[in-house]
């Protein structure tokens, strides 16, 4: 969900929304046939729940105009049909690739788009990215870490789309919040690459030399990659079943807590006081081993990671005290109750996005303005969402009020370190 269709790109067409269409009709662009039909209908149900069953008789003209992006013509054809139908706002499409081909027709017609992708590269004036992005998570983490007194940020990230999204987010967050540029390294995924990258970024050899009080240069660290990876895989085979399921491995022993070798003296703090990680699975285990080897831990360094950690936070005791940013689960309960009453099953997480987007349309339409003007969509007080309040920014980004969770481990769920501002209750 977090990285749907990252590879498909297209240039921005036009300069955004300059002449809003006066209609309050809502064009909905979703895959309603083909392999993603089930997901498309789930998102449609979320939008319908927000708009209500009496939309067709709404005095503001609020109604849903639904188009199948999996039909002939694809997302581009669906967007063109919605424009021809006089829709004033588009909800969707689902993926980054579909957003890239659908947005130009909408922008040319002055129709804003609330897309369900979380690919931040698709954000632009008039096209908002409704997905909870890695960049948004990092902004929230940096904000909380800065309040905690952290000023020097670094990142050890996988060389993949998620890693680069997190890295870009860290650069933006530090810039936006008046902090020094972070130090970011990307590893190749092997245990040797992870270990050496962390040694480099933490100045491990210099710190070790200082601790030993030696003037001689220590030999560079050159682990046997094959042996290291084999040992890591062997240990991974003993992970607890719940963690194994989340990480894609299997086994029965606790997560690693490898300590530094007995002959390694206590080292001074590394040149950063907050470290962003982006790994899961076996690579996260290898990162944890490297953290212990290089003595990177609290209180000198706050470890931070992606919201994906929420799925197995109870098993991350080896990095107790680490933070991740995610929606507050308690904020979602009112939506879940209403959705189940109408649709008789638990909503999938993506239905949250379609509800939020349709709620934006409903709120703007009921404010008495004509159409969906950009200055109203980007109002400073934002909108109420399933997972908390959110604000549409002029550049197409969406800033969400995420909570910061602290890993406890030992089978305990992560605790809320800092809760987001509460949104108003989901109304009936």
């Amino acid at each position: 969900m977090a990285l749907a269709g990252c590879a498909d790109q297209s240039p921005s067409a036009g300069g955004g929304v300059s002449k809003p269409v006066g209609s309050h009709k809502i064009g909905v662009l979703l895959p309603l046939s083909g392999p993603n039909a089930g997901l498309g209908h789930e998102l449609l149900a979320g939008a319908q729940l927000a708009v209500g069953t009496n939309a067709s008789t709404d005095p503001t003209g609020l109604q849903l105009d639904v188009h199948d992006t999996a039909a002939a013509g694809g997302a581009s054809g669906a967007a063109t049909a919605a424009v021809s139908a006089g829709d004033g706002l588009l909800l969707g499409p689902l993926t980054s690739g579909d957003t890239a081909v659908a947005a130009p027709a909408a922008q040319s017609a002055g129709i804003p788009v609330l897309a369900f992708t979380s690919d931040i590269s698709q954000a632009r004036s008039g096209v908002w990215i409704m997905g909870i992005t890695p960049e948004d998570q990092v902004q929230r983490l940096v904000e909380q870490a800065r309040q905690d007194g952290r000023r020097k940020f670094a990142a050890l990230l996988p060389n993949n789309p998620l890693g680069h999204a997190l890295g870009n987010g860290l650069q933006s967050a530090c810039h936006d919040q008046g902090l020094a540029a972070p130090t970011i390294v990307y590893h190749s995924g092997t245990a040797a690459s992870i270990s050496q990258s962390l040694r480099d970024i933490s100045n491990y050899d210099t710190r070790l030399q200082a601790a030993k009080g030696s003037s001689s240069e220590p030999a560079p660290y050159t682990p046997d990659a094959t042996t290291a990876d084999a040992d890591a895989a062997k240990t991974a085979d003993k992970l607890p079943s719940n963690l194994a399921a989340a990480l894609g491995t299997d086994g029965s022993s606790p997560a690693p807590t490898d300590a530094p070798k007995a002959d390694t003296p206590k080292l001074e703090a590394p040149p950063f006081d907050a470290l962003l990680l982006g790994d899961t699975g076996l690579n996260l285990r290898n990162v944890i081993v490297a953290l212990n080897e290089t003595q990177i831990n609290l209180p000198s360094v706050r470890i931070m990671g992606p919201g994906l950690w929420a799925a197995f936070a109870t098993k991350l005791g080896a990095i107790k005290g680490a933070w991740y940013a995610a929606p507050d689960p308690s904020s979602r309960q009112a939506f879940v109750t209403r959705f189940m009453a109408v649709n008789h099953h638990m909503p999938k997480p993506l239905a949250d996005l379609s509800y939020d987007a349709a709620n934006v349309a409903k709120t703007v339409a009921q404010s008495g303005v004509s159409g969906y003007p950009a200055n109203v969509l980007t109002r400073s007080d934002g909108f109420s969402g399933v997972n908390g309040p959110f604000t549409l920014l002029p550049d197409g980004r969406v800033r969400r009020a995420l909570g910061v969770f602290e890993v406890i481990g030992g089978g305990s769920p992560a605790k809320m370190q800092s809760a987001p501002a509460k949104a108003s209750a989901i109304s009936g």
Side-chain angles (χ1 to χ4, degrees):
M1 181 183 73
L3 295 172
C6 287
D8 292 320
Q9 309 286 332
S10 75
S12 172
V17 178
S18 57
K19 297 179 181 178
V21 174
S23 169
H24 283 149
K25 285 178 61 181
I26 306 168
V28 180
L29 312 183
L30 289 170
L32 302 175
S33 60
N36 291 322
L39 187 54
H41 283 281
E42 185 84 348
L43 271 78
L44 178 59
Q48 290 170 331
L49 187 65
V51 170
T53 57
N54 297 321
S56 60
T57 59
D58 190 293
T60 65
L62 188 70
Q63 58 178 294
L64 298 180
D65 176 35
V66 182
H67 299 270
D68 184 4
T69 57
S76 177
T80 300
V83 170
S84 298
D87 297 340
L89 175 75
L90 300 188
L91 307 187
L94 176 59
T95 68
S96 174
D98 280 355
T99 301
V101 299
Q107 289 191 286
S108 296
I111 300 174
V113 178
L114 304 182
F116 301 133
T117 178
S118 57
D119 179 5
I120 200 68
S121 71
Q122 295 300 327
R124 67 202 71 167
S125 178
V127 181
W128 284 273
I129 304 307
M130 296 298 293
I132 299 176
T133 66
E135 290 84 353
D136 205 23
Q137 296 173 33
V138 176
Q139 281 278 356
R140 183 68 185 91
L141 287 170
V142 171
E143 177 186 33
Q144 185 65 31
R146 184 172 55 82
Q147 293 174 3
D148 191 43
R150 310 289 168 169
R151 293 293 183 271
K152 296 175 290 184
F153 289 77
L156 173 68
L157 300 168
N159 188 18
N160 61 27
L162 174 59
H164 285 277
L166 290 166
N168 293 337
L170 184 59
Q171 288 179 323
S172 297
C174 288
H175 177 271
D176 292 348
Q177 299 184 41
L179 299 165
T183 302
I184 301 173
V185 296
Y186 296 94
H187 65 76
S188 66
T190 66
S193 171
I194 289 169
S195 182
Q196 187 62 57
S197 295
L198 193 55
R199 283 172 171 253
D200 291 343
I201 199 174
S202 68
N203 292 344
Y204 176 78
D205 289 343
T206 300
R207 292 159 59 218
L208 181 61
Q209 181 178 356
K212 289 182 175 180
S214 170
S215 59
S216 60
E217 184 72 18
Y221 178 67
T222 54
D224 184 298
T226 302
T227 301
D229 288 345
D231 289 344
K234 182 178 180 180
T235 304
D237 287 341
K238 300 177 183 179
L239 289 172
S241 58
N242 288 347
L243 177 58
L247 304 186
T249 58
D250 55 10
S252 60
S253 73
T257 56
D258 304 57
K261 295 178 181 179
D263 59 350
T264 302
K266 182 174 177 57
L267 308 183
E268 64 182 17
F272 49 81
D273 53 21
L275 178 66
L276 177 67
L277 307 176
D279 282 293
T280 60
L282 177 59
N283 280 352
L284 179 56
R285 184 218 178 267
N286 291 333
V287 169
I288 292 171
V289 170
L291 288 172
N292 283 287
E293 288 176 347
T294 53
Q295 298 185 30
I296 297 175
N297 47 40
L298 284 171
S300 60
V301 178
R302 174 70 66 183
I303 303 299
M304 307 181 299
L308 293 172
W309 285 1
F312 48 89
T314 58
K315 303 297 182 180
L316 293 179
I319 48 173
K320 180 179 179 179
W323 288 351
Y324 62 85
D328 179 359
S330 65
S331 299
R332 193 173 186 251
Q333 190 53 51
F335 168 71
V336 171
T337 300
R338 287 192 59 213
F339 189 97
M340 291 184 66
V342 174
N343 299 287
H344 311 295
H345 68 269
M346 285 284 290
K348 292 183 172 66
L350 280 178
D352 301 12
L353 305 183
S354 58
Y355 182 99
D356 284 356
N359 191 51
V360 168
K362 182 177 181 178
T363 303
V364 173
Q366 292 178 343
S367 70
V369 300
S370 174
Y372 300 95
N375 66 312
V376 179
L377 290 170
T378 57
R379 64 185 194 173
S380 59
D381 52 349
F383 300 90
S384 173
V386 170
N387 296 294
F390 62 94
T391 304
L392 307 184
L393 303 182
D395 61 3
R397 292 180 297 163
V398 176
R399 184 65 68 239
R400 293 183 178 273
L402 301 176
V404 174
F405 294 81
E406 182 173 333
V407 172
I408 303 300
S412 300
K415 71 177 181 181
M416 182 74 77
Q417 170 68 24
S418 178
K422 294 294 184 181
S424 58
I426 302 293
S427 59

